[in-house]
Amino acid sequence: FLPPIFPGSDLPGIISRRMYLKFLNLFKNVVVIGSTDDAIRTALISKSKIILRRGTEIFSKKYIELAENNGIDFIKTTTLKASRHGSKIVLTHDYGREIVDAAVFAILRQPRIEIASNLGIEYSFYHKVHVYLPVSDEIGKVNNTYYLTGGMRGINDYELSFMSGKVIFDDSYVNEFITRLKETYLYQNKEIDSPYFFGNGYVCECEDIRLSEVEEQRKKGYKTVEEMKRTLGISTGYCQGKICSFLTGDYLGSNKLITFRSPLYSMW
């Protein structure tokens, strides 16, 4: 899960879904930031509100119903900023503010395409839903060597993820799998705005680079992540672009990111 970008989004207490699930006993009162079923899954555990950027929701019908049945409130905003008041996080949005122990982001699960890329697998930017995906056929076949399954294909539904592995070995599941796959957000007809950008904030924390600096470079004519890397230093820090390259690529609408190097996994 990539972090949302807004003033104060780098403060302690703005945490990922995975960190929250690991330490959930430490946080009694949270708010979830996200636009997909993973945000609702998290809110059902925390019994909290969901904040999302207006025009970015790609929830499934199943999870919308679960949210409604469990009284989950949605706050659709265009702006967001965070500050700290003692041990609390104060989130200010279009309609007021939330005072919480933590803000948990579950925006959109991005496949770890740097792994696939280092294996020589091509990837593409699906601009309608703002996700980078390795390229494969409908059952995940890349070539005679590789198949892609589950999260690497951007599949968030757990049952469908499991089925994506079964179809490789048993073609009796293929028709059902393809039918269900085409019901996911990856195949939706509408185009959403980017779910990440609520305002100016750190795009690259390693090199201390803000979104406004990326915008300044774009106005000068630099249009790709690689050009931002060479002119701003994005993706040259501690994590080698495992977060900022995706965020910058989405902001620019760049079809390609960078040449990924080790470490393959984030260092924190």
Side-chain angles (χ1 to χ4, degrees), residues 3 5 35 41 44 88 106 127 131 142-143 147 167 198 207 220 222-223 233 245-246 248 264-265:
I5 305 300
S35 310
R41 288 190 187 107
L44 290 172
K88 300 291 186 180
H127 64 90
V131 65
V142 177
N143 49 41
Y147 282 84
V167 296
F198 295 86
E207 295 298 307
K220 294 177 182 178
Y222 301 106
K223 303 295 185 182
S245 63
F246 290 85
T248 304
L264 290 178
Y265 296 94

Side-chain angles (χ1 to χ4, degrees), residues 245-256:
S245 63
F246 290 85
L247 289 169
T248 304
D250 182 35
Y251 184 73
L252 297 172
S254 179
N255 289 324
K256 295 299 176 185

Side-chain angles (χ1 to χ4, degrees), residues 15-26:
I15 60 176
S16 69
R17 167 182 159 84
R18 286 188 173 179
M19 181 174 285
Y20 171 67
L21 294 178
K22 188 174 182 179
F23 299 106
L24 60 85
N25 291 332
L26 299 178

Side-chain angles (χ1 to χ4, degrees), residues 53-73:
R53 189 162 176 249
R54 186 179 294 114
T56 67
E57 55 268 33
I58 44 177
F59 305 112
S60 69
K61 181 179 178 181
K62 170 186 173 182
Y63 275 91
I64 284 288
E65 291 175 353
L66 281 171
E68 291 174 348
N69 292 338
N70 285 273
I72 302 299
D73 292 328

